[in-house]
Amino acid sequence: MVERQSPSQPPRPPSANAAKLALRDQLMTTRHRRGLLEVGEAGRAIAEHVLAAPEVRRAATLSAYVSVGTEPGTSLLLDGLVGLGKRVVLPVVLPDLDLDWAVYQGPTSLMPARMGLLEPAGPRLGVDSIGTADVLLIPGLAVSPTGDRMGRGGGCYDRALARVPVGTPVWVLVYDDELGREVPVEPHDRRVTGAVTPSGIHRLGG
């Protein structure tokens, strides 16, 4: 028997998962339309903001990632962090979509991996090593004013962030029009403490 909704009843709100899928599709479509010039300029501006941040200047170890496709570029950021003498760890995606970590030792230390990613070739540090990072720089598609982050749907970073001590700066790198979006939330989702866009660093919460 198929349940039909009475015309007099208000439409049911979509589940958080369905709303996420719809928003993710919209955000990905917009991202795919971004040109290489915008991607590069966004990456340059984000790198400048991050490298000047007091939290980053004080940090010994940071986590970051290698951007792919039309994500804001991270190559200048990674090399800038190394130039400041920082220890930078990058994610390694495991078969169960959890994240291991390895130290970034320059562009030549990266190797092709699953899902079109580039990953560090050095020794693996273990999934719990992310808890030792002083600042986390992570990818995302959008973020709300209170720090709810929209990822790509694999849940990799939600698991990783569960291992990070409370109070650690966790910043998502996004475009300006991806900041301040209303992001559907599920119980397993982990909030970020800030966002870095081409216009600056935005500390979130509340």
Side-chain angles (χ1 to χ4, degrees), residues 61 63 87 89-94 96 98-103 120 122-133 156 159-161 163-164:
T61 297
S63 84
R87 178 176 178 263
V89 297
L90 303 181
V92 177
V93 181
L94 299 174
D96 64 355
D98 206 343
L99 296 179
D100 203 336
W101 302 87
V103 175
R124 304 299 186 248
L125 304 175
V127 295
D128 291 327
S129 63
I130 189 59
T132 66
C156 301
R159 277 189 266 183
L161 294 182
R163 304 179 179 114
V164 175

Side-chain angles (χ1 to χ4, degrees), residues 22 30 50 105-106 110 124 138 153 163 166 174 178 191:
T30 301
V50 170
Q105 296 179 323
L110 300 174
R124 304 299 186 248
I138 70 173
R163 304 179 179 114
V166 174
V174 293
E178 296 168 342
R191 282 182 169 176

Side-chain angles (χ1 to χ4, degrees), residues 151-204:
R152 290 181 177 265
C156 301
Y157 276 91
D158 290 316
R159 277 189 266 183
L161 294 182
R163 304 179 179 114
V164 175
V166 174
T168 303
V170 180
W171 297 346
V172 60
L173 311 186
V174 293
Y175 294 95
D176 281 294
D177 58 1
E178 296 168 342
L179 173 66
R181 304 294 294 262
E182 289 303 320
V183 175
V185 178
E186 295 181 277
H188 64 269
D189 292 328
R190 300 281 173 167
R191 282 182 169 176
V192 299
T193 66
V196 190
T197 72
S199 67
I201 296 175
H202 313 267
R203 289 165 178 83
L204 307 173

Side-chain angles (χ1 to χ4, degrees), residues 51-172:
L51 296 174
E55 296 94 329
V56 171
R57 291 282 179 169
R58 293 193 297 264
T61 297
L62 299 95
S63 84
Y65 63 97
V66 181
S67 59
V68 295
T70 52
E71 291 179 332
T74 60
S75 58
L76 291 176
L77 173 60
L78 292 174
D79 291 338
L81 290 170
V82 172
L84 290 176
K86 308 301 180 182
R87 178 176 178 263
V88 181
V89 297
L90 303 181
V92 177
V93 181
L94 299 174
D96 64 355
L97 298 184
D98 206 343
L99 296 179
D100 203 336
W101 302 87
V103 175
Y104 175 66
Q105 296 179 323
T108 58
S109 70
L110 300 174
M111 63 180 185
R114 301 164 59 226
M115 300 180 287
L117 301 175
L118 289 174
E119 295 178 345
R124 304 299 186 248
L125 304 175
V127 295
D128 291 327
S129 63
I130 189 59
T132 66
D134 302 303
V135 177
L136 281 74
L137 306 172
I138 70 173
L141 294 173
V143 63
S144 77
T146 54
D148 296 312
R149 167 186 163 271
M150 168 69 71
R152 290 181 177 265
C156 301
Y157 276 91
D158 290 316
R159 277 189 266 183
L161 294 182
R163 304 179 179 114
V164 175
V166 174
T168 303
V170 180
W171 297 346
V172 60

Side-chain angles (χ1 to χ4, degrees), residues 10-32:
R12 294 173 181 166
S15 68
N17 186 55
K20 273 187 175 182
L21 290 173
L23 178 58
R24 186 176 290 116
D25 183 66
Q26 174 192 346
L27 293 166
M28 289 295 295
T29 298
T30 301
R31 279 238 174 139
H32 289 324

